[in-house]
């Protein structure tokens, strides 16, 4: 008789599952206290499972992966690398601050201790002032400010390290560095709360925030250990210290950029709304071209009121909007996860003159008086064209201005961006739209307004079906609305 034993780990450390096979049809399952040999054989499997469980419960939210959004592990990984590099650089910079106030001489004088306290107080005061001015921008461009916060941390670290070169200016340099660091941590913490909220799929924002804190602590402990090792090796050698700083700064900037690329924010801001409107209009253009080709193959000809026929009677800049819209296009715009990796950071896009957001740039939030530049004739044209709308759109040199009515809601904002993107497309096609040619401008505004009105409903439906939160549209840093009737 051939007897085969199959041993696997049980539910507890002292229980093992033993499967005894006598024949192919005779299988007996039983649990029994294991012998030393069986325990040694099963221990690696149990230990591995125990370690994975401990790591999961410590660093991952309950119910992962169903309780979090897509890209969560990638986001946590790159965020952890960022925190590690920032902490290591901070340890290095703090050491050089101590050298600047006299640690290298064997003791810290009373004046040095006073300077150390003053630089913290002055830095915190500066943080309050700057926070008052720019904190309202964190909701609109969360990714940009997260990235910029890490850049500011590296700048502050560089200033702190340079204090050893000019210790007589310690107070002013350390205070400026502390101010920059305070603002950076304010922006970093505020934007990370937005990121955590985007990953909460099971009303578990508190759990995700707690696990984010655990991940940050672990990365910081590792960074502290590496930073302390660097300090021991580097000593007061400035060139070597700057080389270490440069390496860690490069890791910080790159990992912060990758972190932003793995956050699928479902809210609509200025950047995402422009990208989605442009992509949506591109799909409409493709559908219009396909329908036109199909009609030509079928011998169908459309006639205008003057007796002219064919597609040549339709202006090229308007053909995609004068065709019937195919409802199936509603599924062809990207979801938040799909757009996340292609979404440009607003600050970088502006610096690099990214054509997706610039040339011309869509500007929201200006006053109506500034938009028309005091031109009464232009104001009359706008009031006549947008009398029944809750927004106004006006192209100018390098800009397309959007003025929102005080009663404008999310649908009106989406329509305004569609309208602005239509005018941007026509501007890029060489159509001249400016206040110097009032008649042509009035016709272009009226035609594009009708096009935007027809496309707004399918555009809003497409956004909702692809997971975008159309009830959350934030495009203004400071709410600045106009009133007209």
């Amino acid at each position: 008789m051939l007897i085969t034993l199959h041993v696997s780990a049980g539910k507890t450390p002292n229980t093992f599952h033993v499967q005894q096979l006598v024949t192919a049809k005779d299988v007996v399952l039983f649990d029994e206290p294991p012998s030393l040999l069986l325990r040694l054989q099963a221990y690696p499997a149990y230990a591995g499972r125990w370690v994975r469980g401990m790591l999961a419960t410590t660093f991952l939210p309950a119910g992962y992966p169903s309780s979090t959004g897509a890209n969560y592990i990638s986001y946590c990984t790159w965020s952890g690398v960022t925190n590690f590099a920032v902490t290591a650089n901070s340890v290095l910079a703090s050491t050089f601050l101590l050298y600047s106030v006299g640690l290298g001489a064997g003791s810290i004088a009373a004046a040095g201790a006073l300077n150390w306290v003053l630089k913290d107080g002055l830095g915190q005061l500066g943080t309050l002032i700057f926070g008052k001015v720019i904190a309202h921008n964190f909701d609109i461009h969360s990714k940009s400010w997260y990235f910029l916060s890490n850049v500011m941390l590296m700048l502050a670290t560089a200033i702190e390290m340079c204090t050893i070169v000019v210790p007589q200016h310690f107070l002013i340099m350390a205070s400026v560095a502390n101010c920059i660091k305070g603002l950076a941590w304010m922006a970093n913490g505020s934007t990370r709360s937005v990121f955590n909220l985007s990953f909460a799929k099971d009303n578990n924002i508190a759990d995700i925030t707690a696990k984010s804190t655990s991940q940050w602590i672990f990365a910081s402990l590792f960074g502290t250990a590496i930073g302390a090792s660097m300090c021991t090796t580097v000593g007061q050698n400035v060139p070597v210290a700057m080389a270490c700083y440069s390496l860690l700064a490069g890791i910080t900037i790159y990992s912060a950029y990758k972190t932003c690329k793995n956050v699928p924010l479902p809210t609509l801001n200025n950047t995402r709304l422009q990208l989605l409107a442009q992509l949506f209009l591109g799909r409409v253009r493709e559908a219009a071209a396909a329908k036109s080709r199909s009609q030509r193959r079928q011998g169908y000809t459309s006639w205008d009121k003057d007796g002219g026929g064919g597609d040549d009677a339709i202006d090229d800049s308007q053909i995609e909007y004068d065709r019937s819209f195919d409802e199936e296009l509603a599924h062809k715009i990207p979801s938040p996860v799909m757009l996340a990796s292609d979404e440009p950071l607003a600050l970088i896009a502006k610096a690099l003159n990214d054509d997706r957001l610039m040339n011309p740039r869509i500007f929201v939030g200006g006053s109506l008086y500034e938009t028309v530049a005091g031109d009464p004739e232009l104001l009359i044209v706008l009031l006549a064209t947008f009398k029944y709308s809750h927004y106004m759109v006006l192209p100018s040199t390098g800009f397309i201005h959007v003025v929102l009515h005080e009663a404008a809601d999310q649908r009106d904002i989406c329509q305004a961006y569609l309208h602005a993107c239509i005018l941007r497309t026509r501007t890029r096609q060489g159509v001249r739209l400016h206040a110097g040619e009032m008649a042509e401008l009035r016709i272009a505004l009226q035609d594009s307004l009708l096009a935007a009105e027809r496309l707004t409903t399918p555009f809003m439906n497409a956004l909702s079906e692809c997971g975008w939160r159309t009830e959350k549209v934030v495009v203004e840093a400071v709410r600045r609305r106009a009133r007209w009737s």
Side-chain angles (χ1 to χ4, degrees):
M1 177 185 298
L2 178 62
I3 299 178
T4 303
L5 294 179
H6 181 267
V7 182
S8 60
K11 297 181 179 180
T12 64
N14 294 322
T15 304
F16 293 82
H17 192 67
V18 182
Q19 188 179 55
Q20 179 178 344
L21 304 180
V22 180
T23 65
K25 298 181 181 180
D26 185 10
V27 179
V28 180
L29 301 179
F30 59 93
D31 288 331
E32 61 181 19
S35 64
L36 178 61
L37 177 61
L38 294 179
R39 182 176 298 178
L40 292 175
Q41 290 175 342
Y43 183 78
Y46 169 76
R49 187 172 60 184
W50 181 83
V51 170
R52 288 193 299 271
M54 283 294 296
L55 292 176
T57 55
T58 303
F59 298 111
L60 297 177
Y64 174 84
S66 60
S67 62
T68 61
N71 296 344
Y72 182 71
I73 289 297
S74 298
Y75 161 76
C76 292
T77 301
W78 286 112
S79 178
V81 173
T82 304
N83 294 334
F84 153 75
V86 167
T87 304
N89 245 345
S90 297
V91 172
L92 194 61
S94 297
T95 303
F96 273 71
L97 279 176
L98 292 172
Y99 289 148
S100 300
V101 294
L103 179 64
S107 63
I108 300 179
L114 180 60
N115 281 340
W116 189 272
V117 175
L118 285 176
K119 63 98 176 176
D120 288 339
L122 293 175
Q124 290 170 356
L125 180 62
T127 300
L128 289 177
I129 296 174
F130 283 109
K132 175 182 179 298
V133 175
I134 67 172
H136 52 266
N137 288 282
F138 296 161
D139 283 317
I140 300 180
H141 299 297
S142 300
K143 292 185 178 182
S144 295
W145 276 105
Y146 174 82
F147 179 79
L148 184 59
S149 70
N150 287 283
V151 175
M152 289 190 294
L153 283 173
M154 294 302 98
L155 174 61
T157 303
I159 295 175
E160 289 178 339
M161 294 184 66
C162 290
T163 56
I164 194 173
V165 180
V166 282
Q168 65 273 21
H169 300 301
F170 171 85
L171 181 59
I172 181 64
M173 293 179 67
S175 297
V176 170
N178 223 38
C179 178
I180 296 174
K181 285 172 66 176
L183 179 59
W185 285 120
M186 178 188 294
N188 192 284
S190 301
T191 54
R192 282 175 65 88
S193 65
V194 177
F195 296 170
N196 290 334
L197 183 61
S198 71
F199 286 107
K201 299 300 180 184
D202 196 23
N203 294 323
N204 58 339
I205 179 62
D207 189 17
I208 288 180
T209 302
K211 294 306 190 292
S212 177
T213 303
S214 299
Q215 296 161 12
W216 183 86
I217 292 174
F218 178 80
S220 296
L221 289 173
F222 187 46
T224 300
I226 298 300
S229 300
M230 284 185 175
C231 292
T232 303
T233 304
V234 170
Q236 299 187 41
N237 190 324
V238 176
V240 176
M242 293 306 297
C244 294
Y245 161 81
S246 300
L247 175 62
L248 291 171
I251 294 174
T252 300
I253 301 303
Y254 179 75
S255 58
Y257 180 79
K258 295 295 290 185
T259 299
C260 294
K261 291 297 183 179
N262 282 283
V263 181
L265 295 178
T267 54
L268 295 170
N269 69 350
N270 183 35
T271 301
R272 290 185 285 277
L273 199 49
Q274 286 188 61
L275 294 177
L276 292 168
Q278 288 287 130
L279 290 169
F280 182 77
L281 294 174
R283 297 293 186 267
V284 176
R285 188 178 301 111
E286 293 172 2
K291 183 174 181 180
S292 177
R293 290 191 297 268
S294 175
Q295 290 177 345
R296 287 196 182 103
R297 287 195 299 267
Q298 295 174 7
Y300 173 80
T301 304
S302 59
W303 297 86
D304 61 17
K305 63 181 181 180
D306 296 327
D311 295 322
D312 294 336
I314 302 176
D315 185 81
D316 288 341
S317 66
Q318 301 182 28
I319 185 171
E320 64 267 32
Y321 313 115
D322 293 336
R323 302 292 184 180
S324 60
F325 178 73
D326 184 359
E327 295 292 346
E328 293 182 0
L329 291 176
H331 303 283
K332 294 187 178 179
I333 65 173
S335 65
V337 175
M338 296 168 60
L339 187 67
S341 59
D342 295 327
E343 178 186 350
L345 301 180
L347 298 175
I348 297 179
K350 184 177 179 180
L352 298 180
N353 201 28
D354 193 326
D355 277 339
R356 290 176 294 177
L357 302 179
M358 308 295 288
N359 303 322
R361 175 190 172 194
I362 297 177
F363 180 76
V364 183
S367 69
L368 182 56
Y369 181 80
E370 293 171 348
T371 300
V372 300
D375 188 340
E377 184 180 0
L378 179 57
L379 179 60
I380 292 173
V381 170
L382 291 178
L383 290 174
T385 304
F386 298 99
K387 181 177 181 179
Y388 301 104
S389 301
H390 285 162
Y391 69 90
M392 291 181 179
V393 177
L394 178 66
S396 64
T397 304
F399 291 92
I400 295 180
H401 298 273
V402 176
V403 179
L404 297 175
H405 192 275
E406 63 179 2
D409 57 14
Q410 287 77 10
R411 179 184 174 86
D412 297 317
I413 296 175
C414 290
Q415 180 175 323
Y417 270 79
L418 270 177
H419 196 167
C421 288
I422 291 172
L423 291 176
R424 173 192 276 170
T425 300
R426 295 186 180 182
T427 301
R428 291 175 176 176
Q429 291 173 344
V431 180
R432 300 186 63 186
L433 302 173
H434 55 81
E437 300 178 1
M438 200 65 68
E440 291 79 0
L441 176 62
R442 181 172 61 252
I443 294 174
L445 290 177
Q446 291 173 346
D447 290 345
S448 55
L449 174 60
L450 293 175
E453 289 176 344
R454 288 198 301 269
L455 290 172
T456 298
T457 296
F459 180 54
M460 296 288 288
N461 292 338
L463 292 175
S464 298
E465 292 174 6
C466 291
W468 293 98
R469 295 179 56 188
T470 54
E471 76 282 1
K472 182 67 172 178
V473 181
V474 183
V475 296
E476 304 162 287
V478 178
R479 183 182 175 89
R480 198 173 186 181
R481 303 293 177 93
R483 180 192 301 173
W484 64 86
S485 60

